Amino acid sequence: MDTSVFNRPFDDQTQPRIGLETQALQVILRLVETEVVELVGSSVLEYENSRNPFPLRRQWVERQLQLANFYQAVDDQIAERVAELVQQGLGQIDAFHVACAEVAESDYFLTCDDRLIRRYQGELRVINPVNFVLEVTGENL
């Protein structure tokens, strides 16, 4: 997951999409706690979260990242992949997030960023957290 997902509870919950993505995050965190899915943390998540100017939000995300089953640090392989992803049109920080997920051999990368979802070209499933919950739990709309 990227920080857009972790920070959804702090966004304007009167917007239907944001409310749904916040509920999806709650479900995902329960799935992580019950070991149905694994959460991958990364040095990129830690870095981006450390730049959050709101201490309570930053601390909340730090606590959620402690649930991670695996931690991916940035290395040379990731740096090389970032360059390729930026060439595809991804932003620098998004490219780092995705490259970490790829190197960690994640099946999914969750984001609320529609632009990232559209632009990513690779084998990793880059999807919105609501779609992830529906897919993983077998629910259909």
Side-chain angles (χ1 to χ4, degrees):
M1 284 193 280
D2 71 6
T3 54
S4 68
V5 179
F6 282 112
N7 281 289
R8 259 323 188 221
F10 304 102
D11 295 334
D12 180 1
Q13 297 300 306
T14 64
Q15 295 182 37
R17 176 181 172 163
I18 291 173
L20 286 170
E21 289 169 346
T22 299
Q23 290 176 9
L25 173 61
Q26 293 169 344
V27 171
I28 292 163
L29 292 173
R30 279 195 298 268
L31 293 172
V32 170
E33 289 173 343
T34 58
E35 300 179 355
V36 173
V37 298
E38 293 183 336
L39 177 64
V40 175
S42 73
S43 55
V44 179
L45 279 167
E46 288 177 345
Y47 167 76
E48 192 171 21
N49 188 52
S50 75
R51 298 178 51 89
N52 189 326
F54 303 102
L56 291 177
R57 294 178 187 189
R58 188 174 56 246
Q59 292 165 3
W60 187 86
V61 172
E62 285 172 2
R63 283 194 306 275
Q64 304 320 302
L65 290 174
Q66 291 175 359
L67 297 171
N69 305 83
F70 183 81
Y71 179 85
Q72 181 61 58
V74 173
D75 59 18
D76 291 340
Q77 179 184 6
I78 289 171
E80 288 176 24
R81 181 63 176 141
V82 166
E84 295 171 9
L85 292 167
V86 168
Q87 288 292 325
Q88 290 179 12
L90 271 61
Q92 188 85 16
I93 197 77
D94 290 336
F96 270 101
H97 281 301
V98 169
C100 283
E102 288 178 339
V103 169
E105 298 181 359
S106 299
D107 295 322
Y108 295 89
F109 180 75
L110 309 183
T111 183
C112 298
D113 183 341
D114 292 335
R115 181 179 175 270
L116 172 57
I117 292 169
R118 282 191 311 273
R119 290 194 176 198
Y120 174 72
Q121 299 170 356
E123 295 184 23
L124 185 64
R125 289 287 316 266
V126 177
I127 63 173
N128 181 282
V130 174
N131 294 333
F132 172 78
V133 168
L134 294 173
E135 190 170 307
V136 167
T137 62
E139 298 293 325
N140 293 315
L141 289 179

